[in-house]
Amino acid sequence: MGGLLYKDFVSIKGKRVSITIIIIVLLFLLFRVIFPGNGYNEVFTAMTETGEIINIVDTFFVMSLPVFLYTFIMLVSLSFNKTISYDEKNKIRSYLFSLPVDKKKYVASKYVFVGILTYTYLSVYMILNVISAAYLGEIETVTNSSNLCMALAIPGMSLALLMNAVDIPVNLLLGRAKAVTIQTSFWLIVGFAVVALFLFGDLTVLDRWDISKLVEWADTHAFELTLVSIVSPVISLLLFYVSYRITTFFYERKEGIDE
Amino acid sequence: MNKTELKRLLIYLAFSFGLAYAWFFVTNMKFVKWQDLSNPMQSFIALGMLAPLLSHILTRLVTKEGFKLSGKDSMMLGISFKNGKWIFFLIAILLPWIYLELSNALTILFFRELYDPEYYVSLEIDKRLLNIFPLAAIVSGVFGSFAAFGEEAGWRGYMMPKLLKLFGADEDTSLSKGKKLRATILACITGGIIWGLWHAPLTCIGHNFGTDYPGFPFVGIARMCLFCTLMGIMLTFVTVKSGSVWPAAIMHAVNNAGPSILNGYINPERAGTWITKYFSGIWQMAVMLILAIICLTLLLSDKSKIRVKECIEN
């Protein structure tokens, strides 16, 4: 198993990715220390619609966090797809299955690899969150936004697990080419739905959309958010395991190798 | 005594203490008391918990020991649920909850003046939230265990195997049962003292025990060493039995999250006498002592040795 995981690590250029992430975290830390924000720095301030004075530097750091979360969720999926492409391109499976490596172990290695990636990115996201929050002032809107970003960490990464619980079987059972077609079709449908919304939908919904109301809602619904944080990883892990069992069942019975 | 192993251990300790102390100093140059720091700032300082992991990696680079992930003389990062090893992951998740709840129940029983049915209200905690708090602590402990993993990858993943080897308590040394028990206890006590001293900069600013106690901060440092020794025995137990540092990381993270409902009913400000004020924490130590003795006994049982050998061979 260790060897299979190392192969996947090499296929995503793991060393380069690790060094890049370490550099990003260090730069984030460095910039946060140089631009400490509200509690320490009274320049770069702006007034909100409600008359609250907030620091733009704080807002910039807090608002960058959802971008990181989204990027990390996507990176988990992209990395997995890259390992599959690497395996198919280099005919890894034909080679592996001629050795005493069974199909179950190969499937398990993919699930474990995605699990490790998810945990690693979740940890990096939490570190960035801690660094960002360390120098925040006591402005309620910004603090609540920062808390919301932290609260989204575990549900966000549960989403990454769920996405891969579908992605892994599709790639392994149908092959990379068909998987790409399905993924493209899915995102095209999403794209068309958005276009349809703009053409025929009620756009006043977007007009009413207010991020500060979401932050306020999160602040007053701590119990519900905590419940989501508890339930979402448990459910996604359970579904991830069910997905593994289903994939193993069909993959062991599958004839031929998609290479 | 194996000089090479001792040298490696000293290099690791130099890195670990140097990096962590530097981080604690740089992030809190004015030595602001822990209670006066904001919660996010406390979390920021606590990132120093990653220093042992970094030290482990740096030591292996310097000593050229290699980066084997699992098996003998490895970083112990592998995970296996085979041969009943899953039970140690379950123990790691549930044990902190059990001993914290038990020690809090004993504290309420023997120091009744501390019981305050409305205390959680003053902490601004929703009652529904208090009731599911242990579950939230466990989930966040398991998924957000990176900081605890940072410590355990160093202490249990590098220091304890070296100490057990130095004192002759590892699997390769053939000592009588009594001598092995003595060697294991000595290794755990030494490890606990080192670990406790590593926390000294935080204890000096009031982390864990505050600043308002007689003999501050030396009594706090000694108490931390005792706590780390007892906790260290339990963590070493789950690490050796599972052959991985992950259960220890999970247990440490869950412990730090403090999964206890009864905590919301113990008001330390209600302590009327000095005995209640300074000795109400004794029940936690008592419960931990009993658990540490159980863990030591299980660690040295013959059945356990066979299992450890099986793990290494597998």
Side-chain angles (χ1 to χ4, degrees), chain B residues 16-140:
Chain B
S16 190
F17 275 75
L19 288 172
Y21 278 28
W23 177 260
F24 295 145
F25 176 71
V26 169
T27 51
N28 189 15
M29 279 186 190
K30 292 176 186 169
F31 296 103
V32 180
K33 281 183 187 173
W34 189 258
Q35 300 90 314
D36 298 336
L37 291 164
S38 62
N39 280 344
M41 201 54 179
Q42 289 178 351
S43 306
F44 186 59
I45 294 173
L47 284 183
M49 288 170 84
L50 296 173
L53 168 67
L54 205 59
S55 310
H56 185 170
I57 294 168
L58 288 173
T59 309
R60 280 183 180 271
L61 273 174
V62 172
T63 58
K64 294 184 177 109
E65 282 175 88
F67 292 93
K68 212 171 132 193
L69 292 179
S70 57
K72 213 179 163 202
D73 293 328
S74 69
M75 294 178 83
M76 301 177 95
L77 294 178
I79 292 178
S80 169
F81 296 120
K82 284 178 187 167
N83 302 325
K85 277 191 255 176
W86 59 271
I87 195 90
F88 302 108
F89 286 83
L90 196 67
I91 288 174
I93 290 170
L94 295 177
L95 197 62
W97 183 15
I98 293 167
Y99 76 65
L100 279 175
E101 218 67 277
L102 192 64
S103 51
N104 280 336
L106 287 168
T107 305
I108 290 174
L109 205 67
F110 286 90
F111 298 97
R112 291 200 180 170
E113 59 194 281
L114 293 176
Y115 178 67
D116 180 356
E118 299 293 319
Y119 182 55
Y120 64 87
V121 180
S122 65
L123 295 174
E124 293 177 10
I125 300 174
D126 185 345
K127 185 154 191 187
R128 294 176 304 166
L129 207 61
L130 181 69
N131 291 337
I132 60 161
F133 181 65
L135 289 176
I138 286 169
V139 170
S140 68

Side-chain angles (χ1 to χ4, degrees), chain A residues 118-132:
Chain A
T118 310
Y119 177 82
T120 310
Y121 283 127
L122 175 68
S123 303
V124 175
Y125 177 72
M126 283 181 164
I127 291 174
L128 292 176
N129 222 314
V130 168
I131 294 171
S132 160

Side-chain angles (χ1 to χ4, degrees), chain B:
Chain B
M1 194 173 265
N2 189 331
K3 277 188 179 173
T4 319
E5 293 297 317
L6 182 65
K7 203 174 152 188
R8 286 171 175 172
L9 180 64
L10 290 175
I11 292 171
Y12 164 75
L13 291 178
F15 273 129
S16 190
F17 275 75
L19 288 172
Y21 278 28
W23 177 260
F24 295 145
F25 176 71
V26 169
T27 51
N28 189 15
M29 279 186 190
K30 292 176 186 169
F31 296 103
V32 180
K33 281 183 187 173
W34 189 258
Q35 300 90 314
D36 298 336
L37 291 164
S38 62
N39 280 344
M41 201 54 179
Q42 289 178 351
S43 306
F44 186 59
I45 294 173
L47 284 183
M49 288 170 84
L50 296 173
L53 168 67
L54 205 59
S55 310
H56 185 170
I57 294 168
L58 288 173
T59 309
R60 280 183 180 271
L61 273 174
V62 172
T63 58
K64 294 184 177 109
E65 282 175 88
F67 292 93
K68 212 171 132 193
L69 292 179
S70 57
K72 213 179 163 202
D73 293 328
S74 69
M75 294 178 83
M76 301 177 95
L77 294 178
I79 292 178
S80 169
F81 296 120
K82 284 178 187 167
N83 302 325
K85 277 191 255 176
W86 59 271
I87 195 90
F88 302 108
F89 286 83
L90 196 67
I91 288 174
I93 290 170
L94 295 177
L95 197 62
W97 183 15
I98 293 167
Y99 76 65
L100 279 175
E101 218 67 277
L102 192 64
S103 51
N104 280 336
L106 287 168
T107 305
I108 290 174
L109 205 67
F110 286 90
F111 298 97
R112 291 200 180 170
E113 59 194 281
L114 293 176
Y115 178 67
D116 180 356
E118 299 293 319
Y119 182 55
Y120 64 87
V121 180
S122 65
L123 295 174
E124 293 177 10
I125 300 174
D126 185 345
K127 185 154 191 187
R128 294 176 304 166
L129 207 61
L130 181 69
N131 291 337
I132 60 161
F133 181 65
L135 289 176
I138 286 169
V139 170
S140 68
V142 172
F143 284 85
S145 59
F146 70 92
F149 170 72
E151 273 204 51
E152 291 312 315
W155 302 125
R156 249 50 61 184
Y158 195 85
M159 182 187 75
M160 280 317 290
K162 296 280 181 241
L163 278 175
L164 288 169
K165 209 177 250 184
L166 283 172
F167 282 97
D170 63 322
E171 284 302 306
D172 297 339
T173 323
S174 50
L175 290 176
S176 65
K177 204 174 176 181
K179 281 184 180 171
K180 205 152 215 174
L181 175 69
R182 210 180 72 173
T184 310
I185 291 173
L186 274 174
C188 287
I189 290 174
T190 312
I193 292 171
I194 293 171
W195 194 22
L197 289 175
W198 182 84
H199 285 92
L202 295 181
T203 312
C204 288
I205 57 166
H207 183 241
N208 294 105
F209 313 115
T211 53
D212 180 27
Y213 56 85
F216 169 80
F218 305 105
V219 173
I221 293 171
R223 195 175 155 189
M224 194 63 193
C225 289
L226 178 63
F227 174 82
C228 287
T229 305
L230 299 176
M231 187 76 192
I233 290 172
M234 289 190 262
L235 293 169
T236 307
F237 165 72
V238 288
T239 306
V240 171
K241 289 279 225 170
S242 64
S244 164
V245 294
W246 285 106
I250 291 169
M251 193 168 163
H252 189 153
V254 175
N255 174 75
N256 285 2
S260 168
I261 298 171
L262 291 176
N263 240 350
Y265 297 97
I266 298 175
N267 186 352
E269 283 167 19
R270 281 197 168 192
T273 59
W274 66 273
I275 292 185
T276 316
K277 194 174 178 186
Y278 301 121
F279 289 92
S280 58
I282 204 154
W283 286 110
Q284 191 185 350
M285 290 292 183
V287 171
M288 284 181 80
L289 180 67
I290 294 166
L291 287 172
I293 291 169
I294 294 170
C295 286
L296 257 181
T297 317
L298 289 172
L299 193 63
L300 293 164
S301 69
D302 291 334
K303 231 180 173 180
S304 143
K305 276 181 208 162
I306 294 163
R307 182 165 278 170
V308 171
K309 266 190 178 167
E310 274 173 11
C311 295
I312 292 166
E313 281 161 13
N314 285 338

